[in-house]
């Protein structure tokens, strides 16, 4: 991260910052995918990834995300079917970074082409950010599989158990949030003419109760420039249409 700060000369776009971070990690420090021994369990342990400068798409992606976070870069994990990339959703079209290919930049169309080449039928949802819970579970699934291939059934069973624990804890947290949401911790808005309510659509659980069918209801949506979501881009095309064109 310190080397990245040295090279950042503001103002820089997020794409330019990603190029610098890619240069630092994969060219100056020599991080790379461990193609020769892909199923080596050590590829998934971050201390070993840092020491050996090699890992899986997932572990290299986590390193990229952690360094990016220290540099104030808002990037997201993207768990594709059979692969892992880092996503940037701050520009008009998403940018994807492949840590296993020395940080190569990929457009949505190129990601779809990659999935098709690996006999996967791509979906728009494949390009969405992956929750941290799933990143943790996927890491443990990888370790369970790699230890099983190495004949270490004890460790394979251990990491399989971790997957169940993560999922159970996540469910408990969701239930607790739902419980708290029924009390004073939830905000309930009583609508009046000219009201405007703004919230963080990614980080706040929200829902509507609907309205009496006899009243007309007009709903407007605004998508901030560069935002990634299920709405419309600035040219009027829906996000799904954009991806179908490049697929």
């Amino acid at each position: 991260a310190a080397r990245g700060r040295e090279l950042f000369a503001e103002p820089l776009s997020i794409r330019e910052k990603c190029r610098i971070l890619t240069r630092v990690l994969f060219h100056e420090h020599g991080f790379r995918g461990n193609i020769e021994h892909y199923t080596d369990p050590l590829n998934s342990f971050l201390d070993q990834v840092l020491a050996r400068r090699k890992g899986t798409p997932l572990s290299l992606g986590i390193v990229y995300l952690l360094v990016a976070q220290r540099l104030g870069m808002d990037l997201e994990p993207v768990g594709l079917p059979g692969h892992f990339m880092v996503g940037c959703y701050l520009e008009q079209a998403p940018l994807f970074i492949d840590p296993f290919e020395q940080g190569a930049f990929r457009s949505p169309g190129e990601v779809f082409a990659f999935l098709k080449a690996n006999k996967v039928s791509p979906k728009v949802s494949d390009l969405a950010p992956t929750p941290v819970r799933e990143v943790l579970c996927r890491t443990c699934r990888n370790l369970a599989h790699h230890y099983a291939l190495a004949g270490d059934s004890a460790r394979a069973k251990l990491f399989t158990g971790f997957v169940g624990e993560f999922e159970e804890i996540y469910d408990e947290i969701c239930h607790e949030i739902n419980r708290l949401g029924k009390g004073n911790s939830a905000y309930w808005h009583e609508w009046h003419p000219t009201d405007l309510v703004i919230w963080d659509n990614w980080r706040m659980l929200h829902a509507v109760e609907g309205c009496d069918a006899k009243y007309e209801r007009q709903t407007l949506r605004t998508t901030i420039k560069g935002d990634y979501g299920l709405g419309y881009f600035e040219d009027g095309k829906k996000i799904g249409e954009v991806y179908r064109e490049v697929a």
Side-chain angles (χ1 to χ4, degrees), residues 192-203:
H192 298 90
T194 74
D195 279 1
L196 172 67
V197 176
I198 300 175
W199 68 89
D200 186 332
N201 208 42
W202 285 98
R203 294 173 175 83

Side-chain angles (χ1 to χ4, degrees), residues 28-87:
E28 294 189 8
H29 287 282
F31 283 90
R32 65 179 181 87
N34 192 353
I35 300 173
E36 302 86 356
H37 303 287
Y38 188 88
T39 61
D40 184 348
L42 295 181
N43 290 331
S44 293
F45 292 101
L46 291 186
D47 62 326
Q48 293 300 310
V49 174
L50 294 175
R52 306 192 309 165
R53 300 289 199 271
K54 54 187 177 182
T56 63
L58 179 52
S59 61
L60 292 172
I62 291 174
V63 171
Y64 197 103
L65 287 164
L66 291 174
V67 177
Q69 185 180 54
R70 289 192 175 190
L71 292 170
M73 300 165 62
D74 190 11
L75 304 180
E76 300 284 353
V78 182
L80 299 168
H83 200 57
F84 188 90
M85 294 190 186
V86 174

